[in-house]
Amino acid sequence: MTTRSDTTTALNRLLAEIEHRNPAQPEFHQAAHEVLETLAPVIAARPEYAEPGLVERLVEPERQVIFRVPWQDDQGRVHVNRGFRVEFNSALGPYKGGLRFHSSVNLGVIKFLGFEQIFKNALTGLGIGGGKGGSDFDPHGRSDAEVMRFCQSFMTELYRHIGEHTDVPAGDIGVGGREIGYLFGQYRRITNRWEAGVLTGKGQGWGGSLIRPEATGYGNVLFAAAMMRERGEDLEGQTAVVSGSGNVAIYTIEKLAALGANAVTCSDSSGYVVDEKGIDLDLLKQIKEVERGRVDAYAERRGASARFVPGGRVWDVPADIALPSATQNELNEADAETLIRNGVKAVSEGANMPATPEAVHLLQKAGVAFGPGKAANAGGVAVSALEMAQNHARTSWTAARVEEELTHIMNDIHTTCHETAERYEAPGDYVTGANIAGFERVADAMLAQGVI
Ligand code: NDP
């Protein structure tokens, strides 16, 4: 019989091997630790999961593609970026996960995101596997024509590896509606196929789903609301701090307002804005989505209620709930201490892995409800899967229908994580609940499909 301590020893050995075999990939190591460190109870309780090689297969991507992306800027200079697609696990369905264009992208970052995606996608219950991709290309300050040429070059290689039944990319940091449009156009041109289901996050009128742009932010707020309900509270009247000012942050702020909460911050890599009256979404959308500007412009134009803090961290602003929505490791131990000191009740991750392990530990120890990204931000990929379903049926649903489905999915994910945590004697621990529930679904499918 396998005991919990034997299992923990075996998992620790595997973690050491992961670090050894994947050098210089700290984000991937962090994500693997975060998941594997919570799996001992379920592996010890269900002997089939102790089968040699199961977890070892889970931490090794099925396929990793790295390619050259040459493109010319407006002055005719040639740039060479690196493109990635990591197809991590397809036991539950075609690989599904976004593309990230950011200067910090490397193989380790894409592997951490792809690994997280396996469990997140499993939690949605929608039959999608896990993958992720992107490039170290930085779209900031590039003209539309440069972004288009880059996207065309990127797709000229990527098209070989994707397809509606194979691998379905979407957006992430630096990849929004504009980039998905250019990528889809090039895919269509090269393949001579109208294959709407090959990419999600498409525009309205050519295969996009209503509520897809809103889905990640809305979903995270719905998850936070469910955690608050569990504590006998709701979001009405609560003050929120939100980081980021991109897709996820904007629609997080929008949904918070709809539920009666007040988001008082947003940020980008230059610093943050605090607005006592609450963030004015029309102004933020104008600056970020239309002008593609920086957040200091918000403070300049908003008037006396707002100020810009260069290089600062939104976590210094007192709030009832915190929704990190920018990037990985943006909320560290010191930030967690500040949030706790200021009386935060819930932290829900809109971004992927924004809280460091030390921060998560502190928050949970202090009794703060903590929603891990793989559960809390699953609304985006869930509506992407609904976009695929609409594309397949050649139909489009109303916004009300998509939002109803999204609400149902987020509540269901919350319940699954909550109940799984209780079943494994970790009540209130959504990290353990999400990891184990996602693992069970993927592991069952992998066991049924044999050693592949
Ligand atoms: P966007 O590119 O739309 O926005 C990203 C925001 O985060 C920008 O405000 C950006 O500021 C800021 N940011 C990015 N990197 C850094 C950094 N290194 N330091 C400080 N600020 C940074 O991306 P999304 O809103 O789509 O994604 C945000 C997070 O949500 C990511 O972790 C992503 O993986 C996650 N996510 C996104 C989903 C989606 O549907 N889009 C789905 C699930 C998770 P600046 O412009 O200055 O770089």
Side-chain angles (χ1 to χ4, degrees):
M1 202 184 82
T2 316
T3 65
R4 196 180 283 198
S5 101
D6 291 341
T7 309
T8 304
T9 308
L11 288 170
N12 283 339
R13 206 177 307 123
L14 178 57
L15 280 166
E17 198 181 314
I18 290 169
E19 291 184 15
H20 177 69
R21 291 188 72 199
N22 303 277
Q25 297 182 359
E27 293 87 359
F28 176 53
H29 302 164
Q30 187 180 333
H33 271 271
E34 195 261 354
V35 172
L36 267 52
E37 281 169 2
T38 59
L39 295 185
V42 66
I43 295 176
R46 299 189 47 189
E48 66 273 27
Y49 293 152
E51 181 180 292
L54 174 68
V55 184
E56 285 81 351
R57 284 191 286 139
L58 189 59
V59 296
E60 184 70 18
E62 290 174 12
R63 187 174 301 107
Q64 307 178 57
V65 188
I66 304 181
F67 50 99
R68 182 173 73 197
V69 190
W71 58 281
Q72 270 182 308
D73 66 22
D74 289 342
Q75 285 69 45
R77 279 189 300 259
V78 174
H79 297 256
V80 180
N81 283 102
R82 195 168 282 176
F84 301 90
R85 187 71 185 166
V86 172
E87 298 179 332
F88 224 119
N89 192 298
S90 59
L92 290 177
Y95 310 104
K96 181 91 198 84
L99 297 171
R100 176 176 291 191
F101 292 169
H102 193 272
S103 50
S104 62
V105 163
N106 57 41
L107 183 60
V109 167
I110 298 299
K111 280 175 66 182
F112 120 63
L113 290 163
F115 186 64
E116 287 276 300
Q117 199 81 46
I118 302 171
F119 304 94
K120 181 188 311 194
N121 293 4
L123 284 172
T124 68
L126 291 173
I128 36 180
K132 200 83 187 187
S135 173
D136 54 3
F137 171 72
D138 180 2
H140 287 111
R142 292 290 169 196
S143 68
D144 280 354
E146 289 174 324
V147 170
M148 182 181 75
R149 285 195 292 275
F150 175 80
C151 288
Q152 290 175 340
S153 181
F154 185 82
M155 185 53 85
T156 301
E157 173 60 33
L158 186 70
Y159 90 96
R160 301 173 210 282
H161 311 286
I162 62 175
E164 64 177 323
H165 300 296
T166 311
D167 183 356
V168 184
D172 190 81
I173 291 177
V175 178
R178 172 182 63 170
E179 291 75 16
I180 293 292
Y182 295 146
L183 290 163
F184 185 76
Q186 184 72 349
Y187 182 85
R188 187 168 61 75
R189 183 184 199 186
I190 297 173
T191 60
N192 194 29
R193 283 161 65 91
W194 179 272
E195 191 185 331
V198 70
L199 287 168
T200 57
K202 298 181 293 296
Q204 302 304 318
W206 49 279
S209 175
L210 290 164
I211 307 297
R212 175 60 190 92
E214 294 87 347
T216 308
Y218 279 20
N220 188 27
V221 176
L222 292 167
F223 194 89
M227 290 198 299
M228 290 292 275
R229 268 199 306 279
E230 204 56 53
R231 300 164 60 103
E233 293 193 58
D234 65 23
L235 288 182
E236 175 115 37
Q238 311 278 357
T239 299
V241 282
V242 176
S243 63
S245 52
N247 171 266
V248 177
I250 285 175
Y251 293 103
T252 296
I253 295 169
E254 186 164 289
K255 190 68 172 176
L256 284 166
L259 296 183
N262 192 25
V264 293
T265 63
C266 63
S267 70
D268 62 20
S269 50
S270 66
Y272 77 87
V273 161
V274 55
D275 187 338
E276 289 158 17
K277 285 197 192 151
I279 298 293
D280 176 337
L281 251 192
D282 290 338
L283 179 58
L284 184 63
K285 282 183 181 175
Q286 171 64 26
I287 290 168
K288 282 290 168 178
E289 292 184 338
V290 181
E291 300 168 21
R292 297 183 187 274
R294 316 298 297 156
V295 285
D296 58 343
Y298 175 95
E300 263 166 41
R301 278 146 72 173
R302 174 72 163 149
S305 69
R307 76 193 153 86
F308 173 64
V309 182
R313 300 167 82 75
V314 296
W315 320 122
D316 292 341
V317 177
D320 303 303
I321 55 172
L323 301 122
S325 308
T327 193
Q328 64 269 13
N329 294 327
E330 56 162 320
L331 194 167
N332 62 26
E333 196 172 8
D335 301 322
E337 273 168 10
T338 310
L339 286 169
I340 294 164
R341 209 169 37 247
N342 287 334
V344 77
K345 298 170 194 169
V347 175
S348 201
E349 294 187 319
N352 284 309
M353 212 168 73
T356 64
E358 298 78 18
V360 177
H361 179 70
L362 261 190
L363 291 165
Q364 288 186 319
K365 211 168 88 186
V368 175
F370 179 79
K374 64 171 75 65
N377 71 35
V381 75
V383 173
S384 274
L386 302 182
E387 183 172 323
M388 291 162 71
Q390 293 168 71
N391 294 155
H392 196 67
R394 295 194 184 279
T395 188
S396 58
W397 301 346
T398 62
R401 175 166 176 196
V402 180
E403 198 167 343
E404 195 184 316
E405 296 267 355
L406 171 66
T407 307
H408 175 75
I409 291 166
M410 294 315 299
N411 286 334
D412 195 51
I413 293 174
H414 174 269
T415 305
T416 300
C417 296
H418 195 263
E419 289 179 356
T420 307
E422 295 215 320
R423 190 151 45 91
Y424 286 96
E425 291 159 28
D429 178 351
Y430 292 96
V431 175
T432 296
N435 288 345
I436 292 183
F439 171 78
E440 286 178 324
R441 290 181 185 171
V442 182
D444 288 347
M446 288 176 71
L447 287 172
Q449 292 170 29
V451 178
I452 51 162

